[in-house]
Amino acid sequence: MRTRILVCLSGACAAFTLAALPAFGHHGWAGQGSEQFELSGTVHTPVSLAGPHATMKIQDADGQVWDITLAPPPRTSGAGLNENVLPVGAAVTVSGHRNSDPNRLEIKTERVTYNGQNYDVYANRL
Amino acid sequence: MEDFLAWLGASALGDAMRGAGVWTYGVLNLAHILGVSTLFGSVLILDLRLIGLWRRAALGAVAAPTVPLAAAGFVLAAASGLCMLTTNATEYAGNPFLLIKFPAIALGLANVAVLHRLPAWAARDARGPSARERRQLAVAGGASLACWLTAIAAGRMIGYW
């Protein structure tokens, strides 16, 4: 009896987990487009190393503001991209993968280029 | 909701969390996982006992270690969770999983209050429950599992929205 209850409970948990798995992608790259995406603009909101991922915002030539998702804070900082490196208004180019939802202006970013310097926050993916 | 999150993010706690170094979020996350696992591990054992498994072990004997551990786990999870929320509070506006998670936690706590008012719970060290009381305890145990599983599942999904 109690074994049967335990088996049923574990079965229900496993089924729930499997059913939920394919639907989610963030924290990985599954929610992003597979082709490389590059964008130039000016820094709108400087780098934040708060976490879970470091972030910044840049404004493109059309005035649209993009969410730039960087690596986790220790890794972004380790690539040299600290909070004081990019001043507001600085001209930067980011390279990475755009969110696969075309309505979301978000780029999961591997490289930020500023003043001839590359900040490779996901060096292993470049 | 958005106003509250904006206030939370702008609070002194939020400033402190954002300024405390690049490993802060990771350490908070670690504390949150330890808190949640301590809470859920404890309530899982107690709730399954309330539902009717392992009757050979007296309810009082099962409750003695699991209740204080669950409470400690809850306090750790709540404190670290609040810190994580303030770090990026406005990011969570419109996240539907928050609206599932927090009511589930409130229901879980309400269920604790109800369980602690049951005569069979109060007398758990003195006597066994009657058949009717056994059903009450089982319902409380089942409700507890449902609440905490929902809170944990919704909480995990917040970051994937």
Side-chain angles (χ1 to χ4, degrees), chain A residues 11-69:
Chain A
C13 289
F16 176 79
T17 309
L18 286 176
L21 269 179
F24 300 99
H26 176 83
H27 285 322
W29 297 81
Q32 316 296 124
S34 54
E35 65 284 0
Q36 199 71 21
F37 186 85
E38 199 165 276
L39 181 77
S40 292
T42 55
V43 174
H44 176 273
T45 306
V47 172
S48 159
L49 294 176
H53 282 262
T55 55
M56 63 188 277
K57 290 183 202 283
I58 69 175
Q59 193 164 24
D60 65 16
D62 301 330
Q64 290 181 307
V65 175
W66 292 68
D67 281 316
I68 306 302
T69 305

Side-chain angles (χ1 to χ4, degrees), chain A residues 2-3 5-6 9 13 16 20 23-28 48-53 55 57 67 73-74 77 82-83 104, chain B residues 17-18 21-25 29 44 48 51-56 87-88 91-92 97 145 149 153 156-157 159-161:
Chain A
R2 63 183 66 143
T3 314
I5 293 178
L6 272 180
L9 270 176
C13 289
F16 176 79
F24 300 99
H26 176 83
H27 285 322
S48 159
L49 294 176
H53 282 262
T55 55
K57 290 183 202 283
D67 281 316
S77 173
N82 285 304
E83 291 185 342
R104 287 194 57 189
Chain B
M17 289 303 125
R18 283 185 295 272
V22 293
W23 290 99
T24 307
Y25 198 89
N29 214 333
L44 180 62
L48 290 178
I51 288 170
L53 272 74
W54 310 306
R55 288 220 181 105
R56 217 158 36 143
T87 302
N88 261 324
E91 288 289 308
Y92 301 107
F97 292 112
L145 267 188
L149 275 174
R156 186 72 281 241
M157 292 308 151
Y160 296 82
W161 172 251

Side-chain angles (χ1 to χ4, degrees), chain B residues 60-85:
Chain B
V62 175
T66 51
V67 170
L69 272 178
F74 180 83
V75 169
L76 181 60
S80 54
L82 179 67
C83 291
M84 286 199 290
L85 192 61

Side-chain angles (χ1 to χ4, degrees), chain B residues 24-40 72-85 92 98 101-102 105 148 151-152 154-156 158:
Chain B
T24 307
Y25 198 89
V27 172
L28 288 172
N29 214 333
L30 166 65
H32 200 59
I33 290 170
L34 284 175
V36 169
S37 55
T38 303
L39 166 66
F40 188 70
F74 180 83
V75 169
L76 181 60
S80 54
L82 179 67
C83 291
M84 286 199 290
L85 192 61
Y92 301 107
L98 280 187
K101 174 179 176 170
F102 289 114
I105 293 173
W148 297 116
I152 289 172
R156 186 72 281 241
I158 286 172

